[in-house]
Amino acid sequence: MSRFGIVVFPGTWSDRDCAHALAVAGHPSVRLWHQDQDLQGVDCVILPGGFSYGDYLRAGAIASHAPIMAAVRRHVDRGGLVLGICNGFQVLCEAGLLPGALLRNAALQFRCQPVTLRVERVDTPFSHTCRAGARLRIPVSHGEGRYYADPAMLARLEQRGQVLFRYVDAAGRLDPEANPNGSVAGIAGIVNERGTVLGMMPHPERACEMVLGSADGLRVFQGIAEAGAGAAR
Amino acid sequence: MPTDHRDRFVADVVVTLKPVVNDPQGDVVREALHTLGFAEVAGVRVGRYLAVEVTADRATARARVDAMCQQLLCNGVIEEYRFTLRPADRSVPAPP
């Protein structure tokens, strides 16, 4: 059984939803305070959604320098798993643990709506329970989710297969209408080169029970749990 | 640490999106200016202004503020920065 740690910064609000989604999936979790120096030996760190430090300066900028992030960096260096959701994705980019940046949505509106994601790779701990090309129905909820990488960085990402999720239409095709924020190449989620750190704007924890309209988000958490259970400690 | 008044500076730091990065906020402001009749407005870029007060000699202040910009105040992936130094004046809050 994998152990999950959910980081709480001032202004984080999705930690309880993540804990609930993990409980639904049958996995306990602990909260990790932003001032903590260690990760209590967890296998996977979740950086949840919210508005850490009020999004002051830039979304995720202040949180990326919080004391807990030094421990998260060591965890990543050891090959530990990290899932950054929404504000957590912004934190990972600001920390330099993932390439690129997240800008104000192209439409300048906060977007809170279900989207369809296409799974681009199934050989990562986060997606190995999915079929290749599978489509997941998961909501987004953000004002600054427009993924940006300059052309050279984007080419590297594509070449190394670091794009894990893209916004697509119901038929699984890239479509500007299906892209809620104007992200380059329809990018909704990327992994680092080792495939151990995932940042994604959509909220899998909000799609973990059919009463919420979809349980597709559980696949991400179950994938991590099964990968963690098989990993050497 | 020097505390003499002459060794206090304010760095006026301006951070903007790189020219290659689309700025929808700036585009909306440009359209609003057009609506108001300012037809000569060709473009608007929205940025961020920070007044950073530092206690150090001028050369040190310049180097330290530059490091602050690179480590925190500016995200080099999407933004660029510039700043000027001026002596701090405690009695009058200086405009940007």
Side-chain angles (χ1 to χ4, degrees):
Chain A
M1 166 131 347
S2 281
R3 291 196 295 167
F4 289 84
I6 303 169
V7 177
V8 181
F9 300 101
T12 294
W13 47 242
S14 209
D15 52 308
R16 292 172 70 102
D17 288 353
C18 285
H20 177 74
L22 287 166
V24 168
H27 304 289
S29 57
V30 294
R31 307 296 164 84
L32 302 169
W33 186 233
H34 65 113
Q35 299 282 17
D36 287 354
Q37 305 282 344
D38 76 79
L39 303 177
Q40 301 181 30
V42 300
D43 302 297
C44 176
V45 176
I46 296 179
L47 303 176
F51 294 85
S52 58
Y53 298 90
D55 272 0
Y56 293 167
L57 192 64
R58 291 179 307 276
I62 307 294
S64 71
H65 297 284
I68 192 80
M69 290 306 293
V72 172
R73 279 178 199 284
R74 291 193 295 273
H75 178 73
V76 171
D77 289 344
R78 288 193 302 266
L81 301 181
V82 178
L83 167 61
I85 300 166
C86 197
N87 188 224
F89 188 8
Q90 296 162 339
V91 172
L92 288 170
C93 287
E94 283 286 342
L97 292 169
L98 288 174
L102 293 143
L103 292 158
R104 181 76 67 91
N105 292 350
L108 295 176
Q109 296 163 328
F110 191 98
R111 286 290 170 87
C112 186
Q113 65 193 60
V115 296
T116 303
L117 305 179
R118 188 175 70 203
V119 181
E120 304 290 84
R121 275 178 65 181
V122 294
D123 60 342
T124 76
F126 311 100
S127 59
H128 67 102
T129 63
C130 301
R131 285 176 295 104
R135 295 190 289 280
L136 306 180
R137 194 75 172 153
I138 292 178
V140 293
S141 176
H142 60 250
E144 297 182 37
R146 175 165 55 111
Y147 183 75
Y148 174 84
D150 66 30
M153 189 183 284
L154 182 61
R156 274 201 306 278
L157 279 173
E158 297 282 12
Q159 189 186 351
R160 294 169 181 168
Q162 289 179 249
V163 179
L164 192 59
F165 298 123
R166 286 187 219 268
Y167 303 108
V168 293
D169 64 15
R173 291 175 305 231
L174 281 175
D175 175 1
E177 292 295 309
N179 181 337
N181 50 39
S183 286
V184 64
I187 290 174
I190 58 168
V191 291
N192 63 348
E193 280 188 54
R194 292 172 74 172
T196 53
V197 178
L198 165 64
M200 61 190 295
M201 287 313 295
H203 287 269
E205 78 280 12
R206 293 193 191 178
C208 62
E209 294 164 286
M210 283 315 293
V211 70
L212 298 174
S214 168
D216 291 351
L218 274 186
R219 288 187 173 277
V220 176
F221 298 108
Q222 283 166 340
I224 296 169
E226 290 171 23
R233 292 296 309 279
Chain B
M1 288 289 284
T3 52
D4 185 74
H5 195 103
R6 290 164 298 181
D7 285 323
R8 290 177 59 219
F9 290 91
V10 174
D12 295 309
V13 182
V14 175
V15 181
T16 55
L17 290 170
K18 288 179 177 177
V20 296
V21 176
N22 182 26
D23 178 13
Q25 204 178 174
D27 293 345
V28 169
V29 175
R30 181 194 62 209
E31 291 310 308
L33 289 170
H34 286 170
T35 303
L36 288 171
F38 295 102
E40 67 272 38
V41 174
V44 175
R45 306 287 289 178
V46 175
R48 186 166 54 245
Y49 163 76
L50 303 98
V52 183
E53 190 169 335
V54 290
T55 305
D57 63 70
R58 184 177 278 275
T60 306
R62 180 167 298 283
R64 297 291 284 172
V65 171
D66 196 58
M68 293 174 208
C69 288
Q70 293 188 31
Q71 287 178 40
L72 180 66
L73 305 183
C74 171
N75 179 340
V77 176
I78 46 173
E79 296 173 327
E80 56 191 18
Y81 66 91
R82 59 183 186 274
F83 67 88
T84 53
L85 285 178
R86 59 183 160 88
D89 182 345
R90 288 181 213 206
S91 57
V92 185

